[in-house]
Amino acid sequence: EYVLKNIQEKADLMMENLSEVDRLNLTCQVKNLTDKFNLLVLKLKERLNAIVDNIIQLKEAQKQITEYTQFILSIQHAIKELNRPVGSKTEDVQNLLKEYENILNKLKAKKAEMSMQKVSSLPQIKELLSTHDDIIDAIENQLRRLKQLLMLREQFIALVNEIVNFNIKYTDIVAHVEKSDDKIENKIKQYDKIMMKIQECEGLLVSASDKGMQIASEGTVEDRNNIIEQLQTLKQQLQNLKQTVENLRQ
C-alpha cells in the first residue's frame, strides 16, 4: 500500500505537465495497477484466512484425536477391570451384565458422536473408529456369553431347589407309608413307586452336577468348593432317602 500510494502521488504531480491524452493514459495505468494490487491483496487475505482456518481445524482435530484416544484407553481399562472370574450367584452375573451394558451404551453414544465430526475421515480417527468397532463386537459377544451363564445359573438353582423340595416331600411320604396300617403288598407297591421317583430325581442330580461343574469352571476356588459341597449334600440326602426306602421295602 505504501508503494502504491507513492505511485499515486507521483502520478498526480505529473498530471500538470501532461496532455489530456497522456493524463488519461496515466490515470488508466494507475487505476489498473491499483485494481491488480487490490486483487492481489484480496487473494492473499483469502489464502491467509484459509491457512488460519486450517491451523484451527488441525488443532481441533488433534484435540479430538487426543480426547478420543483417552476415551478408548479408559474403556479398555474398564473392560480389563471386569476380566475376573464369574461368581456362582445369579447376582454376580447380573452385575457384570449391567456393567458391560453401561460400557456398550457409552461406546455406541461415542460412535454416533464421532461419526458426525468433520475429522472422521482423518487416518488417526479411522484407526480409532476401527478399534472402537472391535471393542463393541467383543462386548456384544461377552454379553451373549454372560446371558448364557446367567441362564445356566438359573437352571442350576431351579434343579437344586427341585431336588431339595423332592427330598422334603418324599421323606414325609415315606414316613407316612411306614406308619400307615396298609397291607404289606400295598406298601411294597408304594415303595416301588417312590424308588422310581428317586431314580428320576437322581437324573435331575446328574443334570445339576453337570451345570454346577460348568459354573464352577468359571468361578473362584471358593465357588467351586461351595458347589461341590452343595452337590455332595444333595447326593447324600438322596442316597439316604433311597437307602431308607430299600430297607423299609425289604
Side-chain angles (χ1 to χ4, degrees), residues 2-250:
Y2 173 76
V3 174
L4 190 63
K5 185 177 180 182
N6 283 341
I7 292 173
Q8 185 66 56
E9 289 176 352
K10 288 180 180 180
D12 291 340
L13 292 174
M14 292 171 62
M15 290 293 183
E16 299 176 2
N17 301 321
L18 297 176
S19 64
E20 187 66 29
V21 175
D22 290 336
R23 281 201 297 272
L24 184 59
N25 287 335
L26 182 59
T27 300
C28 287
Q29 289 176 357
V30 172
K31 184 178 182 304
N32 288 337
L33 185 62
T34 303
D35 289 344
K36 288 179 180 180
F37 180 82
N38 289 334
L39 183 60
L40 178 62
V41 169
L42 180 62
K43 288 183 177 179
L44 287 173
K45 285 183 178 179
E46 288 176 351
R47 290 185 180 181
L48 182 61
N49 289 336
I51 291 171
V52 171
D53 289 342
N54 285 338
I55 291 172
I56 292 172
Q57 289 176 8
L58 285 171
K59 286 183 177 179
E60 180 62 27
Q62 189 58 52
K63 180 183 176 183
Q64 289 184 341
I65 289 170
T66 301
E67 289 176 353
Y68 194 18
T69 301
Q70 289 301 318
F71 171 80
I72 293 294
L73 289 174
S74 68
I75 291 293
Q76 289 173 331
H77 178 73
I79 293 172
K80 187 177 179 181
E81 289 293 309
L82 295 179
N83 187 22
R84 57 179 183 264
V86 184
S88 59
K89 299 177 182 177
T90 55
E91 306 90 79
D92 298 329
V93 186
Q94 287 168 341
N95 291 336
L96 265 180
L97 272 169
K98 189 178 294 184
E99 291 185 71
Y100 273 110
E101 284 169 351
N102 288 338
I103 292 175
L104 184 61
N105 290 335
K106 288 180 183 178
L107 282 165
K108 288 184 175 179
K110 190 67 174 180
K111 178 73 183 295
E113 176 190 332
M114 293 308 300
S115 298
M116 298 294 290
Q117 299 295 330
K118 294 179 181 178
V119 296
S120 60
S121 60
L122 291 176
Q124 299 97 318
I125 295 293
K126 283 185 176 180
E127 186 176 347
L128 288 169
L129 283 170
S130 178
T131 302
H132 195 139
D133 287 337
D134 291 342
I135 295 174
I136 287 177
D137 290 341
I139 288 182
E140 287 177 340
N141 289 335
Q142 179 71 342
L143 285 173
R144 282 191 286 271
R145 173 176 165 272
L146 287 172
K147 287 174 182 177
Q148 290 174 348
L149 293 180
L150 178 60
M151 186 184 298
L152 185 66
R153 280 153 179 76
E154 289 172 344
Q155 291 170 344
F156 175 73
I157 291 170
L159 286 169
V160 168
N161 288 337
E162 190 173 350
I163 295 167
V164 168
N165 291 333
F166 176 89
N167 270 311
I168 295 171
K169 176 182 176 181
Y170 277 88
T171 297
D172 290 341
I173 290 174
V174 169
H176 176 74
V177 173
E178 181 188 4
K179 293 176 183 178
S180 72
D181 297 328
D182 210 345
K183 293 180 180 180
I184 293 176
E185 292 81 1
N186 290 336
K187 284 189 175 184
I188 289 174
K189 288 179 181 179
Q190 291 181 66
Y191 287 138
D192 286 342
K193 289 180 181 179
I194 292 171
M195 286 296 291
M196 289 178 64
K197 291 293 184 182
I198 291 174
Q199 288 171 358
E200 290 176 6
C201 193
E202 286 176 333
L204 295 180
L205 181 60
V206 170
S207 180
S209 298
D210 178 59
K211 294 182 187 300
M213 288 301 98
Q214 290 182 55
I215 294 169
S217 67
E218 296 278 348
T220 62
V221 174
E222 183 181 358
D223 290 326
R224 180 180 177 84
N225 292 339
N226 289 338
I227 289 172
I228 290 174
E229 183 180 350
Q230 189 175 26
L231 290 169
Q232 286 175 341
T233 300
L234 291 175
K235 183 178 180 181
Q236 188 62 51
Q237 289 173 347
L238 267 181
Q239 285 178 341
N240 292 343
L241 179 61
K242 186 176 183 179
Q243 188 64 52
T244 299
V245 174
E246 287 176 344
N247 292 339
L248 289 170
R249 187 187 183 283
Q250 190 65 36

